[in-house]
Amino acid sequence: MAKRPSTRPKARKLSDAANRLKAPTRPPTSWTAPRGVLGAFSTRSPRWLGALGQMDRWNISTGSGTTTRACLAPKPRMGVVRRRSIPKIARTELTGAGSCSAKTDLPKCEIRLRRHDGVYRWFLLRAEPLRDDQGQIIRIYGTSTDIEALKQTEQRLREDESELRRITDAIPQAIIVQDPVGTSLYANRAALDYTGLAMEDVVKAGFRERIFHPDDVQRQAQYRQSALAKGVPFELEQRALGKHGQYRWFLIHYNPFRDEQGRIVRWYATGTDIHKRKRNEERTRNENIALREEFDHSLMFEEIVGSSQSLRKVLKAVDKVAATDSTVLILGETGTGKELIARAIHKRSLRSSRAFICANCAAIPRELIASELFGHERGAFTGALERRIGRFEAADGGTLFLDEIGDLPAETQIALLRVLQEREFERVGSPKPVQVDVRVLAATHRDLAVEVEEGDFRRDLYYRLNVFPVNVPPLRERIEDIPLLAEYLLERYAKKAGKNITTQLIDRRLKCCRTMTGPGMLENYRT
């Protein structure tokens, strides 16, 4: 008599398939299906019957929105859903055809089922195939979990996120949302409008290096990483590149957003434009430097001393031209006080509250004159370890006095002509123009008209400088000013030395001074 085959392996596989469907909380409904058919629902779960009801037809819809209609028989075996009426993704995941193996995870999908009252609810379907000894699928065991509340919560979260983005887009400040390690995830409309980038560019690697100045990124990288690790609010001052190719200073506030457990889930970085404030701070710093240089300079030329007719003529010209923005060319021999005349013009001008910057073109080496006047970028030449502004940029809004302009090299004369014409220049090592508002006063002891004829000075630059010439007479042409000048100088030196000089000594020295002739008389008096 033939021995009946044992059913224990099949029962064991059935038990294993059912156990793999068990969860810490058993799903509320379960179903089975034969091979090739989705849903020969032989379950007797009261909750399943109560959820779907005794209806003849019901709908299944996948997350993609595709809806199909299937038949449901009103028998204890609740019904059969034909394979051809199920979308391909549902057939693949639920039947496991061609994709199930002993080691694969439970196939699952999310669909909407219509209840007995016509309301659709989301369900999570999970299936486990039962195989025979040859590995063929003979039955499918599945569970259906109601996830309608989860779906509604996800929808509310999406709506809240959309509302938050609309709010941040309405804020005029630039806002960038970052993950806990500082990677950019989102930028509001103000940030995108300023940078000219799209949202796809924000989430790409290297976004910060693309919009912020390289010097600022390198200088503040370590501090930023340390502050992000601490998880406390902090702020940075950085230059951000705009869509027009210009950098502007921004004050960036970093604020963390934490979940209920206190863990940081987002960083919100808000940027405030502080470019005008930084420019004012830099201008004030430059003016303070200029003031300190003035204090270090000798005070003996603080005032113009004299009452001669020739000096009165010069002072009248100073009063006439001071209120304008015209370029002034001060001519005179060495030691006649050309810088003093330039300071008098500045003090009587509308720029008197701003910086007065001096540059002696003869005292600066030829290879450094362009860097001194126009500044340079980091790495522009050997020894340029950082960016440095020049005399023109330091005098922005004020007055720049170029002494000994006749000694200016030919290549620098061209750059100076451009500044006088276009009010802009380029730093050494940078192709970007810098706009400035500077009044230029120039002085020389040379005869520039002769220099032009000999080809040593540009004719067009000479005409630009010689808008309003002022000739300072030497002291030998105003002998009547010697007593006043001598008394002024002696009084200043006596006060400085703490001594009392009698008028008899002054009278004896005046006789000697009147007999002195030749260039540099004023320098001789000071010594």
Side-chain angles (χ1 to χ4, degrees):
M1 182 177 178
K3 190 175 182 179
R4 295 178 59 186
S6 176
T7 59
R8 290 184 180 179
K10 182 176 181 180
R12 186 180 299 109
K13 289 184 178 182
L14 178 61
S15 177
D16 293 342
N19 289 335
R20 282 196 292 269
L21 286 172
K22 290 183 179 180
T25 301
R26 183 177 179 84
T29 59
S30 60
W31 47 268
T32 62
R35 177 171 177 260
V37 183
L38 176 63
F41 296 101
S42 57
T43 181
R44 297 295 185 269
S45 172
R47 296 186 61 181
W48 176 265
L49 296 175
L52 298 180
Q54 297 296 333
M55 54 187 178
D56 294 334
R57 305 180 71 83
W58 52 281
N59 289 338
I60 295 179
S61 174
T62 63
S64 60
T66 304
T67 303
T68 61
R69 184 172 296 275
C71 296
L72 187 63
K75 297 291 184 181
R77 173 185 166 200
M78 286 195 60
V80 177
V81 182
R82 291 184 174 85
R83 175 183 170 87
R84 65 176 178 272
S85 65
I86 303 299
K88 181 178 180 181
I89 183 173
R91 293 202 306 267
T92 301
E93 294 190 356
L94 289 178
T95 63
S99 63
C100 291
S101 65
K103 296 183 180 180
T104 55
D105 295 333
L106 297 180
K108 61 181 179 179
C109 71
E110 295 178 355
I111 64 173
R112 283 174 289 179
L113 297 179
R114 191 178 65 185
R115 295 191 314 187
H116 58 87
D117 55 0
V119 177
Y120 286 95
R121 294 183 67 85
W122 279 99
F123 282 82
L124 173 63
L125 301 187
R126 300 175 62 187
E128 174 66 28
L130 178 64
R131 302 174 184 274
D132 57 15
D133 295 336
Q134 287 74 34
Q136 298 296 322
I137 299 175
I138 59 177
R139 185 166 291 276
I140 298 174
Y141 289 85
T143 60
S144 303
T145 305
D146 191 329
I147 57 171
E148 180 67 23
L150 176 61
K151 286 293 185 178
Q152 292 180 0
T153 303
E154 292 176 351
Q155 179 64 24
R156 286 195 297 268
L157 289 176
R158 286 192 292 268
E159 293 175 356
D160 292 343
E161 183 178 1
S162 177
E163 180 67 18
L164 179 60
R165 293 195 175 188
R166 285 195 294 269
I167 294 175
T168 55
D169 285 340
I171 298 175
Q173 279 185 314
I175 300 177
I176 297 179
V177 183
Q178 302 174 347
D179 64 9
V181 297
T183 304
S184 300
L185 302 175
Y186 169 78
N188 71 335
R189 179 54 53 190
L192 297 179
D193 290 343
Y194 174 77
T195 59
L197 301 177
M199 190 63 69
E200 295 78 11
D201 301 320
V202 176
V203 299
K204 289 182 180 179
F207 170 70
R208 296 188 68 258
E209 290 76 7
R210 184 174 180 179
I211 65 171
F212 290 119
H213 197 282
D215 293 345
D216 298 338
V217 174
Q218 181 180 359
R219 174 171 48 88
Q220 298 177 345
Q222 185 175 358
Y223 171 76
R224 179 175 178 270
Q225 292 299 325
S226 176
L228 290 174
K230 293 179 181 177
V232 296
F234 65 98
E235 60 185 37
L236 298 174
E237 291 184 358
Q238 291 181 299
R239 287 165 290 180
L241 181 63
K243 58 184 176 182
H244 300 297
Q246 299 291 332
Y247 282 100
R248 294 185 66 86
W249 280 100
F250 281 82
L251 175 62
I252 304 176
H253 293 272
Y254 284 80
N255 291 284
F257 179 77
R258 303 177 184 272
D259 58 13
E260 296 178 353
Q261 288 74 32
R263 294 171 298 188
I264 296 178
V265 294
R266 291 289 184 271
W267 281 95
Y268 287 88
T270 58
T272 305
D273 192 326
I274 58 170
H275 192 72
K276 291 183 178 179
R277 193 195 79 184
K278 295 292 288 187
R279 291 295 300 270
N280 292 335
E281 289 176 356
E282 187 174 6
R283 184 181 293 113
T284 302
R285 183 166 55 252
N286 296 333
E287 291 176 357
N288 291 337
I289 294 175
L291 288 175
R292 286 196 296 269
E293 292 178 353
E294 288 186 38
F295 281 121
D296 294 337
H297 189 68
S298 175
L299 296 177
M300 57 184 157
F301 291 111
E302 183 179 352
E303 298 292 343
I304 299 176
V305 179
S307 59
S308 62
Q309 189 64 30
S310 58
L311 185 59
R312 289 177 181 271
K313 184 178 180 180
V314 172
L315 295 180
K316 185 176 180 180
V318 169
D319 289 334
K320 183 177 181 180
V321 75
T324 69
D325 262 352
S326 298
T327 304
V328 181
L329 180 60
I330 305 173
L331 304 170
E333 298 177 1
T334 301
T336 54
K338 297 185 289 296
E339 182 177 345
L340 187 60
I341 297 299
R343 290 181 181 274
I345 294 175
H346 172 71
K347 289 180 180 180
R348 288 166 175 77
S349 70
L350 300 177
R351 300 171 180 261
S352 59
S353 61
R354 310 306 288 271
F356 178 82
I357 305 297
C358 298
N360 192 322
C361 300
I364 303 174
R366 297 175 64 90
E367 59 272 11
L368 297 179
I369 185 67
S371 174
E372 285 292 327
L373 293 181
F374 309 117
H376 62 260
E377 294 290 340
R378 178 183 179 185
F381 50 84
T382 303
L385 301 180
E386 61 181 0
R387 183 176 72 89
R388 183 175 182 272
I389 64 173
R391 304 294 176 92
F392 270 97
E393 202 167 351
D396 189 20
T399 305
L400 176 62
F401 175 56
L402 299 176
D403 199 5
E404 301 300 343
I405 192 70
D407 294 322
L408 200 64
E411 58 272 12
T412 312
Q413 293 180 21
I414 301 175
L416 176 59
L417 179 63
R418 181 188 177 188
V419 177
L420 296 176
Q421 291 178 341
E422 307 296 337
R423 298 288 181 177
E424 67 178 22
F425 63 91
E426 295 175 358
R427 300 191 191 99
V428 178
S430 173
K432 296 181 180 180
V434 178
Q435 301 286 337
V436 290
D437 177 23
V438 177
R439 183 182 188 179
V440 177
L441 306 178
T444 182
H445 69 283
R446 299 186 180 187
D447 189 345
L448 291 185
V450 177
E451 298 277 343
V452 170
E453 295 299 329
E454 295 178 353
D456 296 331
F457 200 85
R458 293 183 63 91
R459 185 181 299 273
D460 47 4
L461 179 59
Y462 171 70
Y463 290 142
R464 282 284 180 179
L465 295 174
N466 197 34
V467 175
F468 194 95
V470 175
N471 289 281
V472 183
L475 189 58
R476 65 178 179 274
E477 296 180 7
R478 49 189 184 98
I479 301 297
E480 58 270 31
D481 290 337
I482 292 179
L484 290 175
L485 183 59
E487 184 178 354
Y488 171 77
L489 292 177
L490 287 173
E491 182 181 350
R492 302 268 321 174
Y493 280 117
K495 182 185 252 185
K496 184 177 180 180
K499 296 182 178 181
N500 185 20
I501 302 177
T502 61
T503 57
Q504 290 79 10
L505 178 60
I506 295 177
D507 293 338
R508 290 197 303 269
R509 295 294 298 172
L510 284 177
K511 293 180 181 180
C512 179
C513 291
R514 288 192 179 96
T515 61
M516 297 177 62
T517 58
M521 289 180 60
L522 187 57
E523 299 296 333
N524 292 330
Y525 292 155
R526 284 189 291 177
T527 57

